[in-house]
Amino acid sequence: MSEKSKVQFTEREALFYHQTIRPGKIEIIASKPMATQRDLSLAYSPGVAVPVQAIADDPQKAYDYTAKGNLVAVISNGSAILGMGNLGALASKPVMEGKAVLFKRFADVDSIDIELNSEDPEALIEAIAMMEPSFGGINLEDIKAPECFVIEQTLRDRMNIPVMHDDQHGTAIITAAGLINACLITGRKIDEIKVVVNGAGAAALACTSLIKSMGVRHDNVIICDRSGTIYQGRTEQMDQWKSAHAANTEARTLEEALVGADVFLGLSAAGALPPEYVKKMADEPIIFAMANPVPEINPDEAKAVRPDAIIATGRSDFPNQVNNVLGFPFIFRGALDVSATAINEEMKIAAAKAIAELAREQVHEDVAAAYGGAVQQFGRDYIIPAPFDPRLMEVVPAAVAKAAMDSGVAQRPIEDFDTYRLQLKGRLNPTTSVLSSVYAQVRANPKRVIFAEADNEVVLRAAIQYRDFGYGEPILVGRTQNILDLMGELGVPNPESFHIENSMVSDHVAPMVEMIYARLKRRGYLERDVQRMVNTDRNTFASGLLKMGVGDAMITGMTRPFAQSMKNVRRVLDPAPDKLPFGMHMLVGKNRTVFLADTTINERPSAEELAIIATEAASVAKRMGHEPRVAFLSYSTFGNPEGQWVERTRDAVHILDERDDVPFEYEGEMAPDAALNPKIMALYPFCRLSAPANVLIMPGLQSANISAKLLREIGGTTSIGPILLGMEKPVQIVPMTAIAPDVLTSAVLAAAGIAG
């Protein structure tokens, strides 16, 4: 089921998201150099003639010389868009772009959305079939039943690449995984369970077919639709797909069918399963209430009448979410990697079993963090893995690829699965997964974040998203009417429900002035100076709120340079005990992340300070899913060339050498190429780094700040930061050029304590 939870947002916010930066959600990036005339000659004419001839001689070479082997078409005609119905091909484009983004985000599969303006199954079949030379796989999406059955089956028969209608089979695979584990917990055998399926659409019939392929007996499954049970001999509202699952039963209603049933699979409508029906099910009933956004029965209602029930829904705010993103990216990943000619039942079953087995393993620390630190273990509330479990990328594609090989549809078998799993792990940057878990962690443990510049539109958008996405309560600092007027322009409902702190009228002003004056009275400040700062300086006032415990974290920086904002914050807040404040940038690329420090505060750090910065930066890198490899950077590599400015860097390495408990690799002094380029690193066999460095400690603020800003402006990576570390309270100072997503990310990192 597609994820849809309690998250709310305005229509304007949704449109702004899709319009800002550049319209839409996808773009094409060249994977080869395109800088010189020689590059262009190789990419196009005349160099392109060589792979053209090679593919003409051997079509399988297309997987070697083109992107076909990692390219999926996401195709729809818009006849069944989410829960919105038939709105046409063009209206489905935002959904299909979103699907393409999920393919890339979760499994590094490139995909292109294609919207076909036809509801004629034959026309769709002909159009899609002609695309076979272009793509390694076809993902059908949001095509209404029963046409989707005909379209998918015909394409599977005609095409020699994988074709899957995710609305059917994605839901079925995740449901089957959960059912395997629910049966295990309740001591049931899958060939003995009695199942009632409510709904007879594409997903419901696909679920029914898959669980039967896994061993559930045909006679033990009763499907219900709007007309009642689908029984042998029924003629009303029937077709060939329903008839294939007609049961030999005397039951004529859902209520009658559920008497003594072990399992309820709901793919129907909100409230379709009354609590009194649940009472009639067998002991320890298994309930999959997957209608979205409101399930067939609320889990709390089901538990009230049957505390022994195991319940799954399509919602992220309840345990056991049936989310298609657990399946389709990784299923296509495995199919593409063996150039499979189809996605067959064996591959679907292998995916379901792999997902089920993963849920039974010890829960990954990233997943545990997302549940607020409470370690979730396999059980009634954890029968399905979380979507951001990084192990899905290693486990599911490998199982699918193996099944493709065993069932004879793999054209390029994998010889070494251990190596293949390492390759899968390397396809994704662990930072992406960890950031997802950080967001989930904050959602599970909401925090109060003070937005010091809430009358700035970018900041206010971020603050609104912070609340709407469930991360906690934003505390808006600014003039009350200015903020309310801006909310009105943004179309925010119920603006009076937001917590606004106006420094001219706040009840916190008097005790704050007293507190800050006690800090500053021997540093040249009169009480009236402090009063004026509290009333007129947003950073002083916001820092005071944080110091007094009104909020848990603070965000500023949009209206003033970093140095000025930091100076204002430091009047009120101290460094954390035994900590050194410094700034760090996180540069996130496709396959790796590099941490750069100190980029904001310490102009010429001493050797001791460099050692502290390295240790703290390595700790953050560890928290973000990386094994830290620290390089102390310089213009000199191990003394070549000699110079008068390398001693502090060299001494910092010696300071770490004298410690017995340094939990990370480190080396220096090194030039950037020696730290990052394996070929140059190989020239120094004594180098203690096992791989290129991912934490770069700069010798001074000039080189660090210039490097961070230069890399951010040139592009090629996503720059997160500066991230402020070492303060007594979580404070983040964003760049003045930040956009709302940047501010939101900083707020979430502060709330999570990543940089506190």
Side-chain angles (χ1 to χ4, degrees):
M1 306 296 291
S2 59
E3 179 169 343
K4 190 170 183 179
S5 64
K6 293 179 179 177
V7 171
Q8 299 294 323
F9 42 80
T10 65
E11 291 184 2
R12 178 169 175 165
E13 196 68 37
L15 294 175
F16 180 82
Y17 171 83
H18 282 82
Q19 185 182 35
T20 191
I21 304 176
R22 65 166 62 198
K25 298 187 284 285
I26 61 175
E27 64 176 327
I28 302 295
I29 301 293
S31 62
K32 300 293 189 294
M34 294 287 172
T36 67
Q37 182 61 45
R38 175 179 170 79
D39 293 337
L40 296 178
S41 296
L42 288 168
Y44 197 56
S45 181
V48 74
V50 179
V52 165
Q53 187 60 55
I55 294 169
D57 295 339
D58 179 3
Q60 281 295 308
K61 292 296 184 182
Y63 291 93
D64 295 325
Y65 302 134
T66 76
K68 176 182 174 73
N70 194 50
L71 191 60
V72 168
V74 179
I75 301 178
S76 179
N77 68 348
S79 58
I81 302 175
L82 300 176
M84 303 173 71
N86 186 350
L87 299 180
L90 184 58
S92 74
K93 189 170 179 62
V95 183
M96 301 311 118
E97 285 188 1
K99 193 82 171 192
V101 170
L102 293 179
F103 266 114
K104 190 66 176 178
R105 158 65 179 84
F106 285 96
D108 193 28
V109 172
D110 296 322
S111 54
I112 295 175
D113 64 296
I114 297 175
E115 294 73 35
L116 297 176
N117 193 20
S118 175
E119 294 186 29
D120 179 1
E122 288 301 321
L124 290 169
I125 289 167
E126 291 302 319
I128 296 169
M130 287 189 288
M131 297 179 195
E132 181 172 342
S134 299
F135 298 97
I138 303 290
N139 181 99
L140 302 175
E141 195 80 15
D142 289 355
I143 301 174
K144 67 184 176 71
E147 289 88 340
C148 62
F149 303 130
V150 176
I151 293 168
E152 184 194 40
Q153 188 57 54
T154 305
L155 290 173
R156 290 180 63 183
D157 293 340
R158 286 182 56 175
M159 301 180 78
N160 207 37
I161 58 175
V163 178
M164 188 174 88
H165 184 208
D166 184 52
D167 300 308
Q168 297 181 56
H169 307 296
T171 301
I173 289 164
I174 312 309
T175 301
L179 182 59
I180 290 170
N181 283 336
C183 288
L184 184 63
I185 290 170
T186 58
R188 290 178 167 98
K189 295 182 178 179
I190 201 162
D191 60 350
E192 297 176 356
I193 59 174
K194 296 181 179 180
V195 181
V196 175
V197 180
N198 198 46
L205 296 183
C207 285
T208 303
S209 296
L210 185 60
I211 64 173
K212 286 181 178 179
S213 296
M214 295 175 64
V216 178
R217 293 169 54 198
H218 173 85
D219 292 337
N220 283 0
V221 181
I222 300 175
I223 299 178
C224 299
D225 63 8
R226 291 184 180 90
S227 300
T229 60
I230 296 176
Y231 56 89
Q232 293 179 4
R234 184 181 126 174
T235 57
E236 180 187 0
Q237 298 293 316
M238 293 293 286
D239 55 40
Q240 67 189 79
W241 297 281
K242 292 182 182 179
S243 297
H245 296 291
N248 182 12
T249 178
E250 298 298 321
R252 293 296 181 264
T253 66
L254 174 62
E255 183 177 11
E256 293 173 0
L258 281 170
V259 176
D262 299 294
V263 180
F264 171 85
L265 298 183
L267 297 116
S268 50
L273 180 62
E276 54 268 26
Y277 291 11
V278 177
K279 291 181 180 179
K280 300 179 180 182
M281 295 180 69
D283 292 342
E284 298 184 286
I286 300 168
I287 299 171
F288 284 75
M290 295 178 284
N292 249 339
V294 181
E296 285 81 358
I297 187 170
N298 187 290
D300 296 334
E301 294 175 346
K303 287 282 190 180
V305 296
R306 293 301 298 270
D308 58 342
I310 294 177
I311 306 169
T313 72
R315 295 270 293 259
S316 63
D317 49 343
F318 293 124
N320 300 322
Q321 184 195 14
V322 178
N323 190 331
N324 284 18
V325 81
L326 287 162
F328 71 85
F330 312 111
I331 293 165
F332 272 96
R333 175 78 274 152
L336 292 171
D337 288 341
V338 294
S339 300
T341 58
I343 293 175
N344 55 29
E345 290 300 292
E346 291 89 344
M347 295 160 73
K348 297 173 197 171
I349 293 172
K353 289 181 176 179
I355 293 168
E357 290 172 5
L358 182 59
R360 298 197 293 269
E361 294 182 9
Q362 184 173 350
V363 173
H364 195 279
E365 60 184 10
D366 295 341
V367 179
Y371 284 84
V375 179
Q376 295 290 310
Q377 295 294 346
F378 175 63
R380 292 174 179 272
D381 288 337
Y382 198 83
I383 60 173
I384 302 171
F388 44 79
D389 191 322
R391 298 170 298 177
L392 284 162
M393 181 59 164
E394 301 173 55
V395 171
V396 180
V400 170
K402 181 69 163 56
M405 292 164 57
D406 293 343
S407 60
V409 297
Q411 299 180 91
R412 294 185 162 206
I414 293 169
E415 296 181 0
D416 185 343
F417 270 87
D418 289 335
T419 300
Y420 176 54
R421 289 187 182 92
L422 289 175
Q423 292 170 345
L424 288 170
K425 186 175 182 180
R427 274 187 172 272
L428 296 181
N429 190 326
T431 304
T432 308
S433 175
V434 174
L435 281 174
S436 297
S437 70
V438 169
Y439 276 83
Q441 174 189 342
V442 175
R443 192 180 292 117
N445 295 274
K447 301 294 184 182
R448 301 164 300 164
V449 172
I450 301 165
F451 290 82
E453 302 154 309
D455 47 8
N456 175 279
E457 182 177 339
V458 171
V459 175
L460 186 57
R461 285 184 182 277
I464 293 167
Q465 291 175 356
Y466 185 84
R467 188 177 85 164
D468 288 349
F469 293 167
Y471 301 129
E473 180 187 15
I475 299 173
L476 309 180
V477 172
R479 298 296 177 253
T480 305
Q481 195 57 50
N482 292 347
I483 294 174
L484 292 176
D485 289 346
L486 188 52
M487 283 187 175
E489 294 175 13
L490 296 176
V492 178
N494 302 317
E496 66 280 356
S497 65
F498 283 80
H499 181 168
I500 298 176
E501 286 287 348
N502 185 338
S503 62
M504 297 302 294
V505 297
S506 173
D507 293 337
H508 299 294
V509 168
M512 187 183 300
V513 169
E514 182 180 353
M515 175 189 72
I516 297 176
Y517 179 58
R519 287 173 54 85
L520 301 181
K521 62 186 179 183
R522 295 183 180 275
R523 291 162 56 183
Y525 290 86
L526 300 175
E527 185 173 9
R528 64 171 179 260
D529 298 329
V530 174
Q531 179 77 50
R532 184 169 54 251
M533 282 193 301
V534 169
N535 288 144
T536 63
D537 184 81
R538 64 184 71 234
N539 286 331
T540 300
F541 180 65
S543 300
L545 292 175
L546 184 59
K547 183 85 168 182
M548 296 167 66
V550 176
D552 302 305
M554 170 184 159
I555 300 296
T556 189
M558 280 297 300
T559 60
R560 301 178 189 180
F562 183 97
Q564 184 177 348
S565 296
M566 186 64 180
K567 180 179 179 181
N568 296 337
V569 169
R570 285 295 302 271
R571 288 197 186 106
V572 182
L573 298 173
D574 295 318
D578 301 320
K579 298 291 185 181
L580 174 71
F582 70 94
M584 181 177 70
H585 277 74
M586 186 163 57
L587 306 175
V588 184
K590 176 184 175 183
N591 298 114
R592 69 174 178 177
T593 296
V594 174
F595 301 85
L596 196 65
D598 167 22
T599 56
T600 57
I601 296 178
N602 300 285
E603 185 172 2
R604 291 189 60 78
S606 65
E608 292 78 9
E609 289 172 333
L610 286 172
I612 293 171
I613 292 168
T615 302
E616 295 299 321
S619 177
V620 173
K622 182 74 172 178
R623 290 196 63 182
M624 298 306 295
H626 299 267
E627 284 300 324
R629 295 183 297 277
V630 175
F632 289 86
L633 294 190
S634 171
Y635 64 86
S636 172
T637 300
F638 303 123
N640 184 19
E642 295 181 355
Q644 59 178 325
W645 301 112
V646 300
E647 290 302 323
R648 287 180 299 108
T649 303
R650 192 173 297 160
D651 290 345
V653 176
H654 293 158
I655 289 171
L656 294 183
D657 286 342
E658 293 172 359
R659 298 177 184 173
D660 297 326
D661 57 347
V662 178
F664 54 86
E665 296 179 13
Y666 61 93
E667 187 58 281
E669 76 282 4
M670 306 174 74
D673 54 355
L676 298 171
N677 189 321
K679 291 182 179 179
I680 298 178
M681 186 179 290
L683 300 175
Y684 305 95
F686 54 85
C687 178
R688 294 179 287 192
L689 298 182
S690 60
N694 53 16
V695 179
L696 306 180
I697 306 303
M698 308 296 282
L701 185 57
Q702 281 199 29
S703 57
N705 193 266
I706 290 170
S707 298
K709 291 180 178 178
L710 188 64
L711 291 170
R712 183 181 66 204
E713 295 303 323
I714 290 175
T717 62
T718 298
S719 177
I720 299 176
I723 301 171
L724 179 58
L725 296 105
M727 295 297 292
E728 64 170 315
K729 299 280 188 179
V731 178
Q732 289 306 310
I733 302 174
V734 301
M736 295 177 67
T737 55
I739 59 177
D742 301 331
V743 179
L744 180 62
T745 296
S746 292
V748 171
L749 290 175
I754 290 291

